[in-house]
Amino acid sequence: MTEAIKVKSLYFGYGDNHVLKDINFTIKKGDFVSIIGPNGSGKSTLLKNIANILKPEKGIIEVDGKNIIDYSVKELAKKIALVPQDTHIAYEFNVFDIVLMGRNPYLKRFERETDKDFQIAKESLKLTDTLHLKDKGINNISGGERQRVIISRALAQQPKILLLDEPTSHLDINHQIDILSLLQKLNKEKEMTIVVVIHDINLAARFSNKIILLNKGEVLSIGNPKEVINYNNLENTYNLDMIITDNPYTNSPYIIPLTSKEKNNYRKINKKVHVICGGGTGGEVLNKLDLFGYRFSVGVINIGDSDWQLGKKLSAELIEEMPFTGITDKAYKKNVATMEKSDVVVLTSVPYGKGNFKNLEAAYKALEKGKPVYLIDNYQKYKRFDYVNGKAKKILDDMKKKGLKLVNSVDELLLMLKKHV
Ligand code: ADP
Ligand code: MG
């Protein structure tokens, strides 16, 4: 059994407020999963369903291959521990007693804790760096300290799966990283499956191998950070203008949200970009150039091509050609002239064949004349996009030697373009 948690067609509502709708996903043993999504999207509700604190309207939740309703409370508590969002505790227990409560699932009725239980409670406090607080009242320590104590209580439960609801939200940046590093350690060294609700998308992308993006009670996207953290998904859920780039240290996606003022500053950009694309490879770059206020032209592009249609919709200057005729001399010359008037030339990873090879030659010419030329090409795909017997690959290799700049994504391109304005 490699599955830690399986959620099948889960529905949940508070009365008439249907909060979770047809949720399906699998979490494997050893996964480090982040659940992200806007406020009110149902993240806490989902965790409480998995922890069997709330009962689903419909659907099945399995933990370690068994439906959670077939577990006794204590047996489930040995498998799964929840660190809730609100860690306020009404009574004045001291820290050590709170953590010792994590041992309850292991005690019989009226049984006292043994030395082993005390030992485990102590170890759990050590792990979160809070042993020095053990004799203090739980309400006489800071919010961040309390958060870590509550995590210790969950660890004292020695669960296979740890669920945490925004464990970093009360913490300063140092302790945020500490907690996530601790979770990473538990995940790697103790093979604990981690499921964490977290607001900070960058931390989610950095620490987890899987992200679940919730929106209005539905799973909008699930997968590894690169699959989930993209412009479409985030725009749809958070209604946010942003740049997505790579964290240079971890190679995970990194988002930079923009204020409307910053967006407007972009709008004043009076630089022109010429884009060589086709077949939909220009979709993201054309949309974003438009969003950030660049002027741009596209060419040579076949009439009717999806990038041609988009260019038209965005009122770009188009150097067009009838399909299936190849690029005529007239269009080629116009393309060269348009590039000369542009500040930057951008190539997408469009495949090159007989029909559009002249575009590449025109870009080569522009580069030789000193025009900055960028190729948006993740993982050197262009090598596979040659339908002219290696001629496209060769010309691109030559261009690389002469200063063609490679970028991995459109967002990286946008950051580079700022250098030219
Ligand atoms: P998130 O954790 O993603 O912010 P929640 O799961 O807390 O979202 O809430 C999802 C929705 O359910 C919200 O509309 C919220 O108002 C509602 N809700 C949450 N808790 C309760 C509750 N105890 N009773 C009634 N409605 C609730
Ligand atoms: Mg919540």
Side-chain angles (χ1 to χ4, degrees):
M1 173 64 58
T2 59
E3 287 160 3
I5 299 171
K6 198 173 176 88
V7 175
K8 296 191 255 185
S9 308
L10 171 68
Y11 288 77
F12 177 87
Y14 298 98
D16 284 346
N17 182 9
H18 298 286
V19 172
L20 299 177
K21 294 158 219 152
D22 197 18
I23 305 265
N24 291 280
F25 61 81
T26 301
I27 291 173
K28 292 211 182 78
K29 286 183 181 163
D31 271 347
F32 191 130
V33 180
S34 289
I35 301 178
I36 61 171
N39 289 332
S41 53
K43 304 180 295 296
S44 298
T45 306
L46 176 58
L47 278 199
K48 286 178 193 160
N49 271 270
I50 296 171
N52 207 19
I53 293 168
L54 296 172
K55 310 280 177 229
E57 260 167 59
K58 263 198 289 187
I60 291 171
I61 298 167
E62 288 172 5
V63 164
D64 207 1
K66 188 163 128 183
N67 194 324
I68 53 171
I69 59 177
D70 295 330
Y71 281 94
S72 72
V73 173
K74 283 186 174 178
E75 286 313 308
L76 189 63
K78 289 178 193 170
K79 295 265 184 198
I80 209 164
L82 171 67
V83 178
Q85 185 165 12
D86 180 12
T87 56
H88 177 75
I89 288 166
Y91 300 99
E92 197 46 56
F93 290 105
N94 76 26
V95 164
F96 197 74
D97 290 335
I98 294 278
V99 175
L100 212 48
M101 284 175 195
R103 298 304 298 161
N104 278 345
Y106 295 87
L107 304 178
K108 297 205 186 71
R109 240 161 99 90
F110 305 122
E111 193 185 15
R112 299 292 311 237
E113 295 90 355
T114 63
D115 281 352
K116 188 182 163 208
D117 296 312
F118 285 103
Q119 199 51 41
I120 289 170
K122 229 169 141 180
E123 289 297 322
S124 306
L125 281 165
K126 259 193 213 155
L127 275 170
T128 63
D129 202 12
T130 48
L131 187 58
H132 61 288
L133 303 172
K134 72 181 180 37
D135 299 319
K136 292 211 168 182
I138 187 71
N139 293 319
N140 295 335
I141 57 180
S142 75
E145 289 169 337
R146 191 161 57 235
Q147 187 77 274
R148 288 187 283 151
V149 168
I150 303 300
I151 293 174
S152 300
R153 180 177 65 181
L155 295 180
Q157 252 172 271
Q158 297 190 308
K160 303 271 184 292
I161 304 166
L162 187 57
L163 311 176
L164 306 101
D165 197 347
E166 297 191 28
T168 57
S169 53
H170 299 297
L171 306 183
D172 62 51
I173 184 112
N174 256 330
H175 283 112
Q176 287 184 18
I177 296 287
D178 280 354
I179 291 291
L180 283 158
S181 306
L182 166 66
L183 298 180
Q184 194 170 48
K185 191 170 145 198
L186 295 168
N187 178 246
K188 293 248 152 69
E189 290 173 16
K190 303 212 185 293
E191 290 168 8
M192 206 178 272
T193 305
I194 307 287
V195 183
V196 57
V197 170
I198 188 161
H199 265 299
D200 188 318
I201 296 170
N202 290 330
L203 288 178
R206 176 166 161 192
F207 283 92
S208 39
N209 68 315
K210 189 182 254 179
I211 295 183
I212 298 174
L213 172 59
L214 279 191
N215 188 36
K216 297 183 184 144
E218 291 178 82
V219 176
L220 186 90
S221 177
I222 178 166
N224 68 41
K226 290 219 157 145
E227 288 164 331
V228 176
I229 308 301
N230 64 47
Y231 190 73
N232 267 341
N233 284 341
L234 298 190
E235 157 115 295
N236 282 335
T237 43
Y238 292 91
N239 198 8
L240 181 72
D241 283 308
M242 83 207 96
I243 288 184
I244 303 177
T245 174
D246 282 337
N247 180 329
Y249 295 105
T250 58
N251 200 28
S252 48
Y254 191 84
I255 71 158
I256 304 166
L258 300 175
T259 64
S260 49
K261 192 171 158 219
E262 285 161 339
K263 218 174 64 193
N264 284 336
N265 284 342
Y266 271 111
R267 287 219 171 274
K268 291 189 195 109
I269 296 166
N270 192 23
K271 293 286 163 182
K272 225 203 88 189
V273 181
H274 182 74
V275 183
I276 294 175
C277 53
T281 60
E284 188 186 356
V285 66
L286 298 182
N287 273 316
K288 285 194 182 170
L289 287 172
D290 181 60
L291 173 71
F292 291 114
Y294 286 91
R295 290 187 299 124
F296 54 97
S297 49
V298 181
V300 177
I301 185 93
N302 282 334
I303 293 170
D305 185 291
S306 57
D307 287 338
W308 175 85
Q309 289 174 7
L310 179 62
K312 267 221 155 342
K313 191 181 119 198
L314 300 174
S315 316
E317 180 189 348
L318 299 172
I319 300 142
E320 51 191 27
E321 189 67 88
M322 291 298 288
F324 311 117
T325 59
I327 294 171
T328 56
D329 259 3
K330 193 176 155 207
Y332 171 79
K333 280 185 185 142
K334 197 171 167 201
N335 207 21
V336 170
T338 308
M339 283 187 214
E340 269 171 25
K341 281 186 280 169
S342 305
D343 298 285
V344 173
V345 174
V346 172
L347 312 176
T348 65
S349 55
V350 62
Y352 288 98
K354 260 189 185 157
N356 64 349
F357 184 62
K358 277 189 185 163
N359 278 343
L360 200 50
E361 290 181 319
Y364 190 40
K365 219 168 172 167
L367 182 71
E368 280 192 315
K369 283 190 181 160
K371 195 67 67 187
V373 182
Y374 287 90
L375 173 65
I376 311 167
D377 185 34
N378 228 339
Y379 313 117
Q380 306 212 342
K381 272 191 217 134
Y382 79 82
K383 289 187 177 159
R384 282 179 269 140
F385 282 159
D386 185 307
Y387 296 94
V388 278
N389 299 322
K391 265 163 58 188
K393 184 188 166 305
K394 184 177 175 308
I395 206 170
L396 282 161
D397 281 341
D398 280 355
M399 285 171 79
K400 261 165 78 178
K401 282 182 206 134
K402 294 195 173 167
L404 172 73
K405 298 178 179 69
L406 293 180
V407 288
N408 284 315
S409 64
V410 173
D411 292 310
E412 196 183 331
L413 173 74
L414 286 168
L415 289 175
M416 300 299 284
L417 287 185
K418 286 191 85 176
K419 291 186 185 163
H420 298 284
V421 299

